[in-house]
């Protein structure tokens, strides 16, 4: 189609057209599937390939740290830890989560969440860079092409689903009561399968495109400079607009922009995984939860006693009893009984699945293995099933593995940082286990049942 020079017949040739007239005279195709609809001069194989290579590394790390996080929940140990149907199949890789180093889950989950948030601009830019392809017609030219389009659907849909559910869980704190984990877990497998297929097909081309740019041979590499285009070629030439708009930024500049956005997200997120004073720099971390205040108990609170429905009357010296069951029967211990047992200290963090964690806190209490020994499990303690006073909510019960019970740093904690636990941190007693996700550190403990689960 030939461009019309005059619209409404009144623009003198020597004057630039006002913006609205430019729009009026615009003869761009109206359908996103038409060639020439997408006009950004930035699109091209180099831009797409650079973003793709970043995602190749980043998403692989996200997948591995995600699987590791799932293993850390002890999902295979007891149905209360995880009720994902089909985990026997997808959880083929599950292993006994170690207790060393004691900051293990802090590191893996901090990496998972921080990296996931940091990659959001890269993911969006990558999708934007290939959007003309998503609209390409005909939808399928052959069976092979149809299969490729379906795998792209799973890739794009799976990616958006994983990033969205992840961010919602971190930001909105369990909008999916109990069901986030299976959704995010199934989604991860679907997404990663499509991702691997995509990577196998595209990585060689992406590497070639990245190298070509250096040699200045990319198809359409000079589009941004207004030079003539060598049109579609192998390796992504179809991403180059046949009729690009004038450039406002170079491709390299656009990449820096994406990198800058990632850096900004990183800088305003990472503080939550470092904790301490840096937590205040985590502007994007969810706020508005319970204010932990200052002093020995002044660290992050996940669920308050009030939220969990813990009544002061049931935690008082008179009312509260810890019920411990094992091979030789059941014992009931009041707080005074526990205080007569040997007390031990360990410096351990709380590290939540949401990515935040605290620096090491100084916990003091009774070793879990000493409690196991009280009910007939000397030497080699078994798994334990922990129940809270809390009556409702997904995290009122958890199962710990034998290696966690046996670790001398695993405590039923009564004190933190030299003071009694505050009601919000689990008074009168809570579990603290090295290297474990926060969700296994049950607060307001009422009952421990030792035995192979
Ligand atoms: N009974 C009970 N224990 C619980 C929870 C809960 O909701 N109920 N939340 C868990 C989660 S998800 C985390 S991250 C830690 C947080 O501990 P904190 O609030 O002392 O920092 O407590 C764990 N223990
Ligand atoms: Mo948590």
């Amino acid at each position: 189609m030939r461009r019309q020079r005059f619209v409404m017949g009144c623009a003198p040739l020597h004057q630039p057209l006002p913006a609205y007239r430019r729009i009026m005279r615009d003869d761009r195709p109206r359908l996103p599937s038409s060639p020439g609809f997408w006009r950004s001069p930035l699109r091209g194989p180099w831009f797409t390939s650079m973003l793709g290579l970043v995602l190749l590394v980043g998403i692989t790390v996200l997948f591995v740290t995600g699987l590791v996080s799932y293993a850390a929940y002890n999902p295979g140990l007891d149905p209360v830890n995880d009720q994902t149907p089909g985990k026997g199949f997808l959880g083929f890789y599950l292993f006994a989560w170690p207790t060393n180093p004691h900051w293990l889950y802090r590191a893996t989950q901090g990496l998972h969440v921080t990296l996931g948030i940091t990659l959001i601009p890269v993911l969006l830019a990558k999708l934007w860079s290939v959007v003309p392809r998503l609209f390409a017609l005909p939808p399928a030219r052959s069976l092979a092409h149809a299969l490729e389009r379906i795998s792209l659907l799973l890739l794009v849909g799976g990616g958006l689903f994983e990033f969205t559910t992840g961010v919602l869980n971190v930001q909105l704190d369990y909008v999916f009561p109990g069901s986030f984990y299976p959704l995010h877990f199934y989604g991860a497998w679907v997404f990663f399968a499509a991702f691997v297929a995509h990577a196998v097909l595209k990585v060689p081309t992406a590497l070639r495109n990245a190298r070509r740019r250096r040699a200045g041979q990319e198809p359409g590499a000079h589009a941004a400079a207004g030079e003539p285009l060598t049109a579609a070629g192998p390796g992504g030439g179809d991403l180059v607009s046949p009729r690009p708009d004038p450039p406002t930024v170079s491709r390299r500049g656009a990449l820096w922009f994406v990198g800058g956005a990632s850096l900004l997200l990183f800088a305003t997120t990472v503080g939550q995984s470092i904790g301490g004073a840096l937590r205040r720099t985590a502007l994007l971390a969810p706020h508005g939860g319970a204010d932990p205040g200052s002093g020995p108990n002044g660290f992050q609170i996940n669920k308050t006693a009030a939220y969990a429905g813990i009544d002061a009357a049931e935690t008082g010296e008179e009312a509260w009893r810890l019920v411990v069951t094992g091979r030789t029967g059941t014992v009931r211990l009041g707080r005074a009984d526990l205080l007569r047992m040997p007390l031990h200290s360990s410096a351990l963090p709380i590290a939540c699945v949401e990515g935040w964690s605290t620096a090491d806190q100084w916990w003091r209490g009774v070793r879990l293995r000493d409690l196991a020994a009280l009910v007939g499990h000397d030497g080699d303690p078994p798994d334990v099933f922990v129940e809270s006073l809390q009556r409702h909510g997904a995290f009122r019960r958890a199962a710990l593995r034998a290696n966690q019970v046996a670790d001398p740093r695993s405590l039923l904690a009564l004190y933190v940082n030299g003071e009694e636990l505050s009601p919000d941190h689990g008074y009168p007693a809570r579990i603290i286990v090295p290297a474990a996700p926060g969700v296994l550190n049950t607060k307001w403990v009422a009952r421990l049942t030792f035995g192979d689960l």
Side-chain angles (χ1 to χ4, degrees):
M1 233 188 295
R2 216 169 55 81
R3 287 196 174 189
Q4 282 179 298
R5 289 238 156 162
F6 298 103
V7 172
M8 295 185 269
C10 59
L13 260 179
H14 57 275
Q15 273 182 17
L17 287 167
Y20 73 91
R21 295 223 179 115
R22 272 206 302 272
I23 293 166
M24 292 293 290
R25 71 161 202 188
D26 194 355
D27 56 353
R28 81 175 52 204
R30 296 277 164 229
L31 288 177
S33 54
S34 321
F37 176 87
W38 304 97
R39 291 214 174 166
S40 171
L42 297 176
R43 288 202 182 86
W46 181 76
F47 191 62
T48 294
S49 297
M50 295 307 278
L51 296 167
L53 291 172
V54 172
L55 290 175
L56 175 73
V57 178
I59 286 176
T60 304
V61 173
L62 284 183
F63 185 65
V64 172
T65 49
L67 291 193
V68 150
S69 172
Y70 186 65
Y73 270 67
N74 291 340
L77 196 56
D78 188 280
V80 301
N81 282 11
D82 177 87
Q83 314 204 345
T84 308
K87 71 176 168 232
F89 172 58
L90 294 179
F92 66 90
Y93 69 92
L94 293 177
F95 54 96
W97 187 247
T99 56
N100 278 309
H102 70 274
W103 41 262
L104 183 60
Y105 192 74
R106 265 194 101 183
T108 64
Q109 194 60 8
L111 179 61
H112 185 77
V113 172
T114 308
L115 181 63
I117 290 174
T118 302
L119 284 179
I120 289 173
V122 184
L123 181 82
L124 295 179
K126 174 72 162 61
L127 289 178
W128 174 86
S129 80
V130 295
V131 82
R133 257 186 209 160
L134 302 182
F135 287 98
L137 289 176
R141 290 188 302 268
S142 63
L143 183 64
H145 187 228
L147 288 176
E148 197 204 315
R149 296 292 295 260
I150 291 173
S151 84
L152 279 187
L153 207 66
L154 294 178
L155 183 70
V156 173
L160 290 175
F161 181 82
E162 287 302 282
F163 277 79
T164 310
T165 49
V167 167
L168 285 179
N169 191 55
V170 168
Q171 286 294 326
L172 298 183
D173 193 39
Y174 317 112
V175 272
F176 324 85
S179 66
F180 164 74
Y181 305 96
L183 286 179
H184 202 63
F185 183 62
Y186 294 145
W189 280 104
V190 172
F191 173 49
F192 200 69
F195 179 80
V196 168
H198 187 71
V200 166
L201 290 174
K202 301 287 184 178
V203 165
T205 319
L207 289 173
R208 211 172 327 121
N209 286 334
R211 263 183 257 119
R212 250 195 217 166
R213 165 75 174 210
R214 258 186 263 138
Q217 309 161 352
E218 187 211 2
H222 303 293
E227 289 174 28
L229 288 168
T230 48
D238 60 320
L239 292 172
V240 177
S241 173
R243 287 158 59 191
D245 281 335
T248 50
V249 59
S250 70
R251 290 196 174 119
R252 198 168 286 267
L255 214 54
W256 278 111
F257 179 75
V258 175
S262 281
L263 199 66
L264 193 67
L265 286 180
F266 175 82
T268 48
T269 300
V270 69
Q272 67 165 340
S273 307
I274 298 174
L278 276 180
R279 196 186 150 75
R280 265 177 284 136
T281 66
L283 304 176
L284 289 184
H287 291 270
D291 179 5
S294 56
N297 276 279
F299 57 96
Q300 187 77 353
I301 296 162
N302 172 291
K303 292 278 154 52
T304 62
Y307 179 95
I310 305 297
D311 192 336
E314 34 179 5
T315 58
E317 195 92 21
E318 292 295 303
W320 184 75
R321 291 291 176 275
L322 177 73
V323 181
V324 186
T325 303
R327 188 186 288 143
T328 54
T330 295
V331 297
R332 281 162 199 281
L333 305 167
R335 192 176 169 85
D337 302 317
L338 287 170
L339 290 176
R340 276 192 294 272
M341 292 180 67
L343 297 186
H344 297 271
S345 296
S346 34
L348 298 172
I350 301 269
C352 183
V353 66
E354 294 162 29
W356 61 264
S357 56
T358 70
D360 290 353
Q361 310 295 325
W362 197 252
W363 308 93
R364 192 164 170 76
V366 180
R367 280 182 176 154
L368 292 185
R369 66 181 192 192
D370 290 350
L371 290 165
L374 268 189
V375 287
H377 301 278
D378 307 271
D380 214 8
D383 307 331
V384 65
F385 182 54
V386 181
E387 291 167 277
S388 171
L389 284 173
Q390 189 183 345
R391 272 168 292 266
H392 304 284
F395 307 140
R396 67 187 199 278
R397 307 178 294 183
L400 301 174
R401 206 181 284 279
N403 66 318
Q404 292 170 319
V405 176
D407 193 294
R409 294 163 298 177
S410 297
L411 303 177
L412 180 74
L414 307 169
Y415 299 95
V416 65
N417 301 322
E419 201 175 82
E420 272 185 354
L421 290 175
S422 69
D424 289 339
H425 283 303
Y427 180 87
R430 81 171 301 164
I431 299 287
I432 187 84
V433 173
V439 69
L440 297 182
N441 295 325
T442 310
K443 305 196 271 192
W444 316 291
V445 172
R447 189 184 289 267
L448 300 174
T449 308
F450 290 93
D452 291 322
L453 301 173

